[in-house]
Amino acid sequence: MSADTVPDAEWGTVTGWGRTAPTGARLVRPRTYEEAAAAVRDCGARGGIPRGLGRAYGDAAQNAGGAVLDMTGLDRIHAIDADGGTVVCDAGVSLHRLMEVLLPLGWFVPVTPGTRYVTVGGAIGADIHGKNHHVSGSFARHVPSLELLTADGGIRTVDRGTPLFDATAGGMGLTGVILAATVRLQRVGTALMSVDTERATDLDDLMARLTATDHRYCYSVAWIDLLARGAATGRAVLTRGDHAPPDALDARARRDPAAFRTSRLPAAPAFLPDGLLNRTSVGLFNELWYRRAPRARRGQLQRISTFFHPLDGVPHWNRVYGRGGFVQYQFVVGHGREETLRRIVRRISAHRCPSFLAVLKRFGQADPGWLSFPVPGWTLALDVPAGLPGLGAFLDELDEEVAGAGGRVYLAKDSRLRPELLAAMYPRLDDFRALRAELDPRGVFRSDLSRRLAL
């Protein structure tokens, strides 16, 4: 291979979306599969890790002293089957781009998290989930096959149902570089959502509503007030919806029912003072947010961007936490472990964790990925300013409780889990490590996350 296939590289600082632990790395941006292969061979002693749009909250896409492969230069959509509902695209294509292209054709991505600014490769590597996991599972369930660049520089077609696929789906980029994938899509009639909103008075009320009626909706999520105490502990705003059919639209919307429209507010300033989000300010926000929510509203039409990705309208919203950044903590505990969830919510409330982005969802059937996060049960995600006194010790205690209940934390959001708890949370960890050792004996693929957790 000629030297001109090696992409340019530069030294830079890389951090996760939480901005808590920046590290220096050699940044490489391949634009062809050949350049990606050359970059892998040129990783050096500290190895390399692929990176998409940088929305992993912790250190999963960082590699101190090594290489970080920015895959956003591989962004071609190769083929769309508008009859069968599949797309073949490069790993660097974003979900935002897919929505732009696919919605006018009557198709939508099968799973989307709380941001559309993630790449297809990142969606598979983290096996992302969304508001529809209780009916649709996580992203990799909808991927029949992918193209994987492995440590030896070879490119393999990896089919769903094989050990290598199960190690790669949720494997955080540690089995190789995903170059392209085939994705099965969801048929939709419009680019609008029909949304029902209601208030729950406390955690038990919320869980009862979710258990009784979640099956009626394709998408379901609850914002939960983790600062509320006493009888109001766990009070929430429950938002659920389905893709709106054409006959639900008014005359104006029917003129262009598949138009993908987004809104954009000014970006958060580059420098904001630390401590802006504290118990007082977040408590006030949570009170106002809960009070302004309707007690019960049915069939409101919302844009897809409003329903799924409200924070995407504020570029660099992660800056509001100040220079110290924030920790995103997400765990899941299984059905039958509701008392564990109640106890954790009470503990978070008593600890006065100032979280205004806290959501509760129900997960459905687990996917086969060895390090895939979702299992049937309840998942709670919350953000906390990283500088909160005593936060590390408090989250360590929650980790112990989650692991003791057979639950797990989400590696794509983790930045501080202790490695000794990992095996209890992920029973297929030894299988993952064994396949990694066989596939990548020299340790070409490494990250700050992999070193911290001995993956």
Side-chain angles (χ1 to χ4, degrees):
M1 183 172 293
S2 61
D4 60 4
T5 62
V6 179
D8 294 334
E10 61 181 1
W11 189 265
T13 300
V14 182
T15 186
W17 192 246
R19 306 173 74 205
T20 54
T23 54
R26 188 165 53 89
L27 308 177
V28 188
R29 192 168 190 260
R31 295 184 178 275
T32 66
Y33 296 173
E34 292 78 13
E35 287 189 354
V40 166
R41 285 194 297 271
D42 194 43
C43 278
R46 293 285 287 181
I49 192 72
R51 179 182 176 93
L53 287 166
R55 293 305 177 101
Y57 284 80
D59 53 3
Q62 300 174 215
N63 184 24
V68 171
L69 279 62
D70 177 351
M71 298 303 294
T72 57
L74 287 168
D75 59 357
R76 295 166 295 173
I77 296 177
H78 296 282
I80 299 172
D81 181 351
D83 296 320
T86 59
V87 61
V88 181
C89 64
D90 284 343
V93 173
S94 70
L95 299 192
H96 174 87
R97 178 61 179 153
L98 288 182
M99 291 176 198
E100 287 181 322
V101 172
L102 296 172
L103 278 167
L105 302 177
W107 296 99
F108 190 60
V109 295
V111 171
T112 178
T115 174
R116 60 187 179 272
Y117 295 114
V118 297
T119 62
V120 168
I124 299 169
D127 200 14
I128 61 169
H129 56 271
K131 298 177 176 69
N132 61 340
H133 192 276
H134 61 293
V135 295
S136 298
S138 50
F139 194 90
R141 182 183 299 185
H142 307 274
V143 177
S145 65
L146 56 88
E147 300 298 312
L148 186 70
L149 171 63
T150 51
D152 59 5
I155 298 175
R156 306 187 187 195
T157 298
V158 183
D159 294 327
R160 178 173 167 79
T162 62
L164 183 51
F165 189 98
D166 291 345
T168 300
M172 308 310 297
L174 295 171
T175 61
V177 180
I178 299 171
L179 297 175
T182 301
V183 181
R184 294 194 185 102
L185 306 171
Q186 179 179 355
R187 172 73 77 178
V188 296
T190 71
L192 293 170
M193 304 296 297
S194 176
V195 180
D196 293 352
T197 306
E198 58 195 88
R199 278 193 276 180
T201 56
D202 58 26
L203 182 60
D204 284 340
D205 181 31
L206 172 62
M207 294 167 70
R209 291 173 189 248
L210 286 167
T211 301
T213 58
D214 242 13
H215 65 279
R216 301 176 187 171
Y217 299 89
C218 185
Y219 302 98
S220 177
V221 67
W223 169 89
I224 183 169
D225 183 0
L226 292 176
L227 283 175
R229 292 187 287 183
T233 299
R235 67 180 179 177
V237 178
L238 179 56
T239 306
R240 295 181 286 188
D242 294 289
H243 293 278
D247 59 10
L249 275 55
D250 58 27
R252 181 178 179 182
R254 288 180 187 175
R255 296 186 196 126
D256 197 359
F260 177 48
R261 296 187 174 93
T262 62
S263 57
R264 193 173 181 88
L265 298 172
F271 299 100
L272 286 169
D274 292 333
L276 187 65
L277 296 181
N278 52 48
R279 293 177 175 122
T280 300
S281 62
V282 173
L284 177 61
F285 171 87
N286 286 3
E287 182 71 26
L288 292 174
W289 190 262
Y290 182 78
R291 296 292 178 187
R292 72 182 290 273
R295 294 185 182 274
R297 181 176 59 201
R298 305 285 181 235
Q300 182 191 30
L301 293 179
Q302 293 183 4
R303 295 177 180 176
I304 276 175
S305 59
T306 301
F307 179 76
F308 289 107
H309 316 118
L311 286 175
D312 281 348
V314 184
H316 305 294
W317 62 263
N318 56 340
R319 294 172 178 170
V320 301
Y321 293 86
R323 291 170 298 179
F326 69 103
V327 172
Q328 176 87 180
Y329 184 70
Q330 183 169 5
F331 69 90
V332 59
V333 292
H335 295 302
R337 297 289 188 169
E338 285 77 10
E339 187 52 42
T340 299
L341 175 63
R342 294 186 185 98
R343 188 163 52 248
I344 289 175
V345 169
R346 290 195 296 266
R347 292 186 65 179
I348 294 171
S349 175
H351 198 76
R352 309 298 290 154
C353 291
S355 175
F356 78 100
L357 293 176
V359 296
L360 182 73
K361 297 192 291 280
R362 290 174 77 238
F363 279 158
Q365 181 180 356
D367 290 276
W370 294 345
L371 297 186
S372 184
F373 169 65
V375 294
W378 303 89
T379 180
L380 177 65
L382 60 143
D383 65 296
V384 188
L388 186 70
L391 178 62
F394 178 66
L395 293 182
D396 284 347
E397 293 173 3
L398 296 191
D399 289 340
E400 296 276 2
E401 189 152 6
V402 168
R408 57 185 57 165
V409 301
Y410 190 18
L411 297 184
K413 295 185 176 180
D414 176 57
S415 57
R416 24 85 28 217
L417 178 68
R418 301 197 316 272
E420 58 266 26
L421 290 177
L422 197 62
M425 294 181 173
Y426 290 90
R428 300 298 300 271
L429 178 62
D430 285 344
D431 294 325
F432 179 82
R433 285 172 170 159
L435 185 143
R436 275 250 297 153
E438 179 183 352
L439 189 67
D440 184 8
R442 295 184 296 112
V444 171
F445 296 112
R446 306 181 198 177
S447 66
D448 292 353
L449 173 79
S450 74
R451 278 186 283 268
R452 176 168 57 84
L453 295 179
L455 288 172

